Amino acid sequence: MQILLSAEKVDRSDIVLPFHYQAPLQGAIYHLNQNAAFGTFLHDIGYSAEGRKYRLFCFSRILEKPKHILRQKHAFVFPSKISWIVATVDNPFADSLLQTIFTDDPFMIAGQQLRFCRIQILPECKDNPLHVRAMSPICVYSTIEMANGKKRTIFYHPKEEEFAAILQRNLKRKCIARFGNEEMDDSFHMRILSRPGEVVTEYKQFVLKGYLMEMELSGSDQMLQMALCAGLGGKNAQGFGLIMPKSQWKELI
C-alpha cells in the first residue's frame, strides 16, 4: 500500500528542514503509529530472513521543491505545506497511521508543529513490466570484512552487475521474511530508463549513497508488489528506495 500524505504547518509559516531530513521524517512516521505493540515490534525487532532484519516500509523525499536554501544553516526552506509518500506491506501499520491522521492532532517534525490536511491511498498498480521512478534514492551496498578486521561498505552504481543481483536477493528475503515461502518465484529483471543521479546522504552520522532514476521492472508479481510496498534496495525505513509507477507520479508532480 502506498499513501500520499500532505501536512501544513500550524502557524502557516515556512517549514525549515535540514539538508538530510530523512531522520526527522522517519521519527514522525514512527511517532504517528498508535499501535504501541506493533510499533515496538516494527522498531525493535522487525521481520527477519537469512539473518537480515526488515521493517517492510519506506518513504519518499518531500515532493515539493524548496523555496530557497539556507546554506549557512545547512537547511531547506519549504512552503508551509509539504507532501510525501509512505509505503508499507503491513496493514496494521497502515491502519494505525491512517487512524492517527484522521484524529486531526498536530505532530512534530524537526521541532515544528504540523497537521495533516490531505491523505490519499494510491491505487494499486499491477503492471508487469512496471515503469517506475525512484522517489527516494535506491541504496545498494554490501559490507565486507578487511584483512585488519575492520568492515567496509561498498556502494554499487546501477550499471554495475552487482546492483541488479543484490536488488533481487534483497526482494526475495523481504518476501520470505513476510510470507515465509522460500520456494517462491523470485524472478526479477530491471532495465534503466534514465541517467542515474547520485545522491549522497548523511543519516545519523553515517554516509549513504543512492541513485534516483527511472526503471522498467519485470518478474514475478510478488516480487514487484514487494518492491512497491517495501522499497528497492537497503535502508528503506531510513528513507531510501521508494518507487512509484509512472502512471501515478505524473499526476502528483
Side-chain angles (χ1 to χ4, degrees), residues 28-51:
I29 291 168
Y30 274 121
H31 179 74
L32 289 167
N33 176 29
Q34 295 298 301
N35 185 330
F38 184 72
T40 299
F41 163 77
L42 200 65
H43 185 274
D44 298 340
I45 302 173
Y47 298 93
S48 62
E50 299 180 11

Short mmCIF file of all heavy atoms in Angstrom, two decimals, residues 28-51:
data_model
loop_
_atom_site.label_atom_id
_atom_site.label_comp_id
_atom_site.label_asym_id
_atom_site.label_seq_id
_atom_site.Cartn_x
_atom_site.Cartn_y
_atom_site.Cartn_z
N ALA A 28 8.85 11.07 12.74
CA ALA A 28 7.42 11.42 12.72
C ALA A 28 6.57 10.21 12.36
O ALA A 28 5.50 9.99 12.94
CB ALA A 28 7.18 12.56 11.74
N ILE A 29 7.03 9.40 11.41
CA ILE A 29 6.28 8.23 10.98
C ILE A 29 6.14 7.23 12.13
O ILE A 29 5.05 6.70 12.40
CB ILE A 29 6.94 7.57 9.76
CG1 ILE A 29 6.81 8.49 8.54
CG2 ILE A 29 6.31 6.21 9.47
CD1 ILE A 29 7.66 8.07 7.36
N TYR A 30 7.24 6.98 12.84
CA TYR A 30 7.17 6.07 13.99
C TYR A 30 6.25 6.64 15.07
O TYR A 30 5.47 5.91 15.69
CB TYR A 30 8.57 5.83 14.57
CG TYR A 30 9.34 4.73 13.90
CD1 TYR A 30 10.57 4.98 13.30
CD2 TYR A 30 8.87 3.42 13.89
CE1 TYR A 30 11.30 3.96 12.69
CE2 TYR A 30 9.58 2.40 13.29
CZ TYR A 30 10.80 2.67 12.69
OH TYR A 30 11.50 1.66 12.09
N HIS A 31 6.34 7.94 15.31
CA HIS A 31 5.53 8.57 16.36
C HIS A 31 4.04 8.50 16.02
O HIS A 31 3.20 8.36 16.92
CB HIS A 31 5.95 10.02 16.54
CG HIS A 31 5.15 10.75 17.57
ND1 HIS A 31 5.31 10.54 18.94
CD2 HIS A 31 4.16 11.69 17.46
CE1 HIS A 31 4.47 11.30 19.60
NE2 HIS A 31 3.76 12.01 18.73
N LEU A 32 3.71 8.58 14.73
CA LEU A 32 2.31 8.57 14.32
C LEU A 32 1.67 7.20 14.42
O LEU A 32 0.45 7.07 14.37
CB LEU A 32 2.20 9.10 12.89
CG LEU A 32 2.45 10.60 12.71
CD1 LEU A 32 2.63 10.93 11.23
CD2 LEU A 32 1.32 11.41 13.31
N ASN A 33 2.47 6.16 14.54
CA ASN A 33 1.93 4.81 14.68
C ASN A 33 1.41 4.63 16.10
O ASN A 33 2.18 4.58 17.06
CB ASN A 33 3.02 3.78 14.37
CG ASN A 33 2.54 2.36 14.59
OD1 ASN A 33 1.35 2.07 14.46
ND2 ASN A 33 3.45 1.47 14.95
N GLN A 34 0.09 4.55 16.25
CA GLN A 34 -0.54 4.49 17.57
C GLN A 34 -0.72 3.06 18.09
O GLN A 34 -1.18 2.88 19.21
CB GLN A 34 -1.89 5.19 17.52
CG GLN A 34 -1.79 6.69 17.25
CD GLN A 34 -1.03 7.42 18.33
OE1 GLN A 34 -1.41 7.40 19.50
NE2 GLN A 34 0.08 8.07 17.95
N ASN A 35 -0.38 2.07 17.29
CA ASN A 35 -0.44 0.69 17.75
C ASN A 35 0.87 0.40 18.47
O ASN A 35 1.88 0.05 17.85
CB ASN A 35 -0.64 -0.25 16.55
CG ASN A 35 -0.81 -1.70 16.96
OD1 ASN A 35 -0.30 -2.15 17.98
ND2 ASN A 35 -1.56 -2.45 16.15
N ALA A 36 0.89 0.57 19.79
CA ALA A 36 2.13 0.53 20.56
C ALA A 36 2.86 -0.80 20.42
O ALA A 36 4.08 -0.83 20.23
CB ALA A 36 1.83 0.82 22.03
N ALA A 37 2.12 -1.90 20.50
CA ALA A 37 2.76 -3.21 20.43
C ALA A 37 3.39 -3.44 19.06
O ALA A 37 4.54 -3.89 18.95
CB ALA A 37 1.75 -4.31 20.74
N PHE A 38 2.64 -3.11 18.01
CA PHE A 38 3.18 -3.29 16.67
C PHE A 38 4.31 -2.31 16.40
O PHE A 38 5.30 -2.65 15.75
CB PHE A 38 2.07 -3.11 15.62
CG PHE A 38 2.52 -3.39 14.22
CD1 PHE A 38 2.78 -4.69 13.81
CD2 PHE A 38 2.73 -2.36 13.31
CE1 PHE A 38 3.22 -4.95 12.52
CE2 PHE A 38 3.16 -2.60 12.03
CZ PHE A 38 3.42 -3.91 11.63
N GLY A 39 4.19 -1.09 16.93
CA GLY A 39 5.26 -0.11 16.76
C GLY A 39 6.55 -0.57 17.40
O GLY A 39 7.63 -0.41 16.82
N THR A 40 6.46 -1.15 18.59
CA THR A 40 7.65 -1.69 19.25
C THR A 40 8.24 -2.83 18.45
O THR A 40 9.47 -2.92 18.28
CB THR A 40 7.30 -2.17 20.67
OG1 THR A 40 6.80 -1.06 21.43
CG2 THR A 40 8.51 -2.75 21.37
N PHE A 41 7.39 -3.72 17.96
CA PHE A 41 7.87 -4.83 17.13
C PHE A 41 8.57 -4.31 15.89
O PHE A 41 9.67 -4.75 15.53
CB PHE A 41 6.70 -5.73 16.72
CG PHE A 41 7.00 -6.65 15.56
CD1 PHE A 41 7.74 -7.80 15.75
CD2 PHE A 41 6.56 -6.34 14.27
CE1 PHE A 41 8.04 -8.64 14.68
CE2 PHE A 41 6.85 -7.17 13.21
CZ PHE A 41 7.60 -8.32 13.42
N LEU A 42 7.95 -3.34 15.23
CA LEU A 42 8.50 -2.81 13.98
C LEU A 42 9.84 -2.14 14.21
O LEU A 42 10.80 -2.34 13.45
CB LEU A 42 7.51 -1.82 13.37
CG LEU A 42 7.65 -1.50 11.88
CD1 LEU A 42 7.38 -2.73 11.04
CD2 LEU A 42 6.70 -0.38 11.49
N HIS A 43 9.94 -1.35 15.27
CA HIS A 43 11.16 -0.58 15.54
C HIS A 43 12.28 -1.44 16.11
O HIS A 43 13.44 -1.33 15.70
CB HIS A 43 10.84 0.57 16.50
CG HIS A 43 11.99 1.48 16.75
ND1 HIS A 43 12.95 1.23 17.72
CD2 HIS A 43 12.36 2.65 16.16
CE1 HIS A 43 13.85 2.20 17.70
NE2 HIS A 43 13.51 3.07 16.77
N ASP A 44 11.93 -2.33 17.05
CA ASP A 44 12.97 -3.07 17.78
C ASP A 44 13.28 -4.44 17.19
O ASP A 44 14.40 -4.94 17.37
CB ASP A 44 12.54 -3.26 19.24
CG ASP A 44 12.38 -1.94 19.97
OD1 ASP A 44 12.95 -0.93 19.50
OD2 ASP A 44 11.70 -1.91 21.01
N ILE A 45 12.32 -5.05 16.51
CA ILE A 45 12.52 -6.43 16.05
C ILE A 45 12.44 -6.52 14.53
O ILE A 45 13.40 -6.88 13.87
CB ILE A 45 11.47 -7.38 16.70
CG1 ILE A 45 11.57 -7.29 18.23
CG2 ILE A 45 11.68 -8.81 16.21
CD1 ILE A 45 10.48 -8.05 18.95
N GLY A 46 11.29 -6.20 13.97
CA GLY A 46 11.12 -6.29 12.52
C GLY A 46 10.97 -7.73 12.05
O GLY A 46 10.90 -8.68 12.84
N TYR A 47 10.91 -7.91 10.75
CA TYR A 47 10.81 -9.23 10.14
C TYR A 47 12.22 -9.70 9.76
O TYR A 47 13.09 -8.87 9.46
CB TYR A 47 9.92 -9.18 8.91
CG TYR A 47 8.50 -8.77 9.21
CD1 TYR A 47 8.11 -7.43 9.12
CD2 TYR A 47 7.55 -9.70 9.59
CE1 TYR A 47 6.80 -7.05 9.40
CE2 TYR A 47 6.24 -9.33 9.87
CZ TYR A 47 5.89 -8.00 9.77
OH TYR A 47 4.59 -7.63 10.06
N SER A 48 12.43 -11.00 9.77
CA SER A 48 13.78 -11.48 9.51
C SER A 48 13.79 -12.63 8.52
O SER A 48 12.84 -13.41 8.42
CB SER A 48 14.46 -11.93 10.82
OG SER A 48 13.75 -13.00 11.41
N ALA A 49 14.88 -12.70 7.76
CA ALA A 49 15.13 -13.81 6.83
C ALA A 49 16.63 -13.87 6.56
O ALA A 49 17.26 -12.84 6.30
CB ALA A 49 14.37 -13.60 5.52
N GLU A 50 17.18 -15.06 6.66
CA GLU A 50 18.59 -15.31 6.39
C GLU A 50 19.49 -14.36 7.19
O GLU A 50 20.48 -13.83 6.69
CB GLU A 50 18.88 -15.17 4.89
CG GLU A 50 18.10 -16.17 4.05
CD GLU A 50 18.39 -16.03 2.56
OE1 GLU A 50 19.34 -15.31 2.20
OE2 GLU A 50 17.66 -16.64 1.77
N GLY A 51 19.12 -14.14 8.44
CA GLY A 51 19.93 -13.31 9.31
C GLY A 51 19.80 -11.81 9.09
O GLY A 51 20.50 -11.03 9.73
#
